[in-house]
Amino acid sequence: MKILGINDDVTTCECCGRSNLKATVVLETEHGDVRHYGRDCAARSLMGNNKSGSVKSVETLAKGISYARKWLHATPAHTARVVFNRVNLFCRCWVIGDSIHFPNGVVVS
């Protein structure tokens, strides 16, 4: 599975069925299906446990990807370098050309 972002429109975990969550982590399966998991279930699926450090890592990467998608090219001033400088403060990523690349293979352009 691969993290694609975080979403507060879907508030039910497709893994355990828990509802009324503040947000869900958007995941892509090996088959290209999109799933919405709660933070704990996403951490358990991706990292094998739902300890606070794992949950925080998953949430941080998801927020970074969502932030990049929202702000990259939102205005002419929002270049890949500008958005990268903000996102890189809380999750590892790098800029190649006009795209932001994340360690899980997601590219935001």
Side-chain angles (χ1 to χ4, degrees):
M1 282 206 226
K2 179 175 15 177
I3 297 171
L4 298 179
I6 198 160
N7 184 324
D8 59 3
D9 295 334
V10 178
T11 59
T12 301
C13 177
E14 292 182 45
C15 179
C16 71
R18 189 171 171 200
S19 59
N20 297 321
L21 302 171
K22 291 180 185 175
T24 53
V25 178
V26 183
L27 300 170
E28 180 181 30
T29 68
E30 298 81 24
H31 305 291
D33 301 325
V34 175
R35 301 277 185 241
H36 293 83
Y37 281 18
R39 295 176 314 144
D40 287 342
C41 288
R44 194 176 308 111
S45 294
L46 294 165
M47 303 180 112
N49 66 67
N50 64 341
K51 294 180 181 177
S52 63
S54 296
V55 172
K56 189 67 176 172
S57 294
V58 166
E59 182 181 30
T60 300
L61 181 57
K63 284 182 177 180
I65 293 168
S66 290
Y67 182 92
R69 279 205 174 99
K70 178 179 179 179
W71 289 107
L72 187 62
H73 308 302
T75 70
H78 287 103
T79 63
R81 178 62 56 189
V82 168
V83 174
F84 161 79
N85 285 337
R86 176 70 175 144
V87 172
N88 200 43
L89 294 174
F90 54 94
C91 70
R92 290 184 323 133
C93 58
W94 56 95
V95 173
I96 299 176
D98 202 23
S99 301
I100 301 172
H101 297 250
F102 290 88
N104 67 340
V106 171
V107 177
V108 179
S109 20

